[in-house]
Amino acid sequence: MHSLLLEPAYNKPVAVEPAFLALISAQPDLTEPGNVLLNSVAQTSLALAATRSRIKKAALLVECLRGLGPEEIRIGVSYLSGHLPQGKIGLGYSLLQKSMSAPAGEATLSLAETDRRLTDIAGISGTGSQAKRSHLLGELLACATEQEQTFLQHLILGELRQGALEGLMIEAIAKASEQPLKAVRKAAMLSGDLPLVADRAMREGAAGLSQFRFEMFRPLQPMLAQPAEDPADALAQLGEGVFEYKLDGARVQVHKLGDDVRVFTRQLNEVTHSVPELVEQVRLLPAEQLVLDGEAIAFDKQGRPLPFQITMKRFGRRLKVDEMRDKLPLSARFFDCLFVDGDDLIDQSLTTRLGQLDDIVIPALRVPRVVAADQEATRDFLRQALQAGHEGIMAKAPDSLYEAGNRGANWLKIKPVHTLDLVVLAAEWGSGRRRGKLSNLHLGARDPRDNTFVMLGKTFKGLTDKMLEWQTDALLQREIGREGHIVHVRPELVVEVAFNELQASQQYPGGMALRFARVKRYRQDKTAADADTIDTVRAIFEQGFAGVSR
Ligand code: AMP
């Protein structure tokens, strides 16, 4: 039995051996296009996970792409992006474990053959389908070497961690196909299908890429935001910024062609029929063709925003739309304009797009906005947004283009700071100026069910020299074991930690991780039994992340 799912190489970066890189470069099937073995892709994936260097990652991808034959491009790009071309094929962890067989000694399985067999598995339905899937999967795995088996398992479970690949893959496709980066990026944005873009770019060049056009009623992936700590942090990153209220509603992309108006969610599902009032509002706008990006949100009678969970009631299944519309009317607040009367604006600056938005959309249907470069003004603006009941503010780079699907640094979200009292579970020895001091703290919340602690993240921020001195001593007195540079301690010390956001995490056992955590002070008045519980943390998380639809 092989239980390779937790093979560390896929979970955390390790140093790449130069000899290993040389080995990859020496793969004959990578230099001769066509008939690529699964092994080559699996090795490239391993090498990608093993290096943090963007340049090395890009070089590995280009090399691998260049080796692919025409029929293999889509499969290879899919695999290297961590997806199966067949999508989710109903194979879970336990079925994979059940289907495991002894690995093949030699790598002979081709990429095309692997894909063919997975297509067969995906096509199975009806009674006894689990057993049939397991059988076919067993046959496939029996042809795979140990390394290939691990790769396939991670791929099938959607757990390949090779490090932020999409941007790199776009660069690699441009290089390998000798097409301009801008053209490949735009095609990727318009199609949302990188394997297809790679296929067209590499087989047909510029002509292939020019087939990807903006089309009405085919929604674009929405541009996403990264968190920033506070307005000062956002200004430090952007210089001058466009600041907007951040509304806690549902993202909508609205397409208008004459009287035909259709509304799409963040997941690109069409919800036109659930939101007739949005359709009516947009139908009145003075443009024949229009695509707007914004937020749909319900307000109470006083005009204060209702919580996200309430707004989302309008997007449920099988709604009595008219009844719901009377009880819980929705409003649209737009913040971007992507297409107007034949002009595709995604390659235009935010400032230009906002100019168009202001020309077409009345102020009542736009999010409040200021352009600011000084801290005082942006702090005031954040205060106003919070007072009006909103979630925070956004800060955007005025000259940035619309990066569909990307969570980049051109859009920053700023939410108010929360604090939690957490327990120190371990600490790492510091380096540089902090050498000899225990510095990076591992923090956990209490699980009241069994009095254990659930780790939520680490931080060394906010610690003064005096605190470092004190905690090194206090932690060493509580030492219960060491693991490399980590000192594990009895969970007794409580620290007050400020953070801006909780994000979903596969790395930590509670499924959540703190963002921008910093220590405010040690709570010497508290014991671990008084620390915040994982239930409190989960409640905060659910407030901020209650739906997948945002
Ligand atoms: P988050 O869901 O926390 O990653 O924040 C990004 C989301 O905030 C976007 O997907 C939008 O749904 C929402 N949002 C609210 N107001 C704005 C705004 N002014 N600009 C962009 N996104 C906004």
Side-chain angles (χ1 to χ4, degrees), residues 355-369:
Q356 291 276 9
L357 180 74
D358 294 354
D359 282 349
I360 296 166
V361 179
I362 52 169
L365 294 183
R366 291 188 241 134
V367 294
R369 174 197 333 140

Side-chain angles (χ1 to χ4, degrees), residues 223-225 244-251 266 294-295 335 367 391 394 396 407 411 413 415 501 545 550:
M223 180 162 173
L224 302 170
E244 296 170 346
Y245 281 12
K246 182 175 192 306
L247 276 51
D248 197 11
R251 184 85 176 254
R266 173 167 168 169
E295 201 81 348
F335 47 74
V367 294
E391 207 191 2
M394 304 285 297
K396 302 179 179 177
R407 194 182 286 285
W411 281 19
K413 52 183 174 181
K415 295 190 201 177
E501 196 163 330
F545 298 84
R550 280 187 288 177

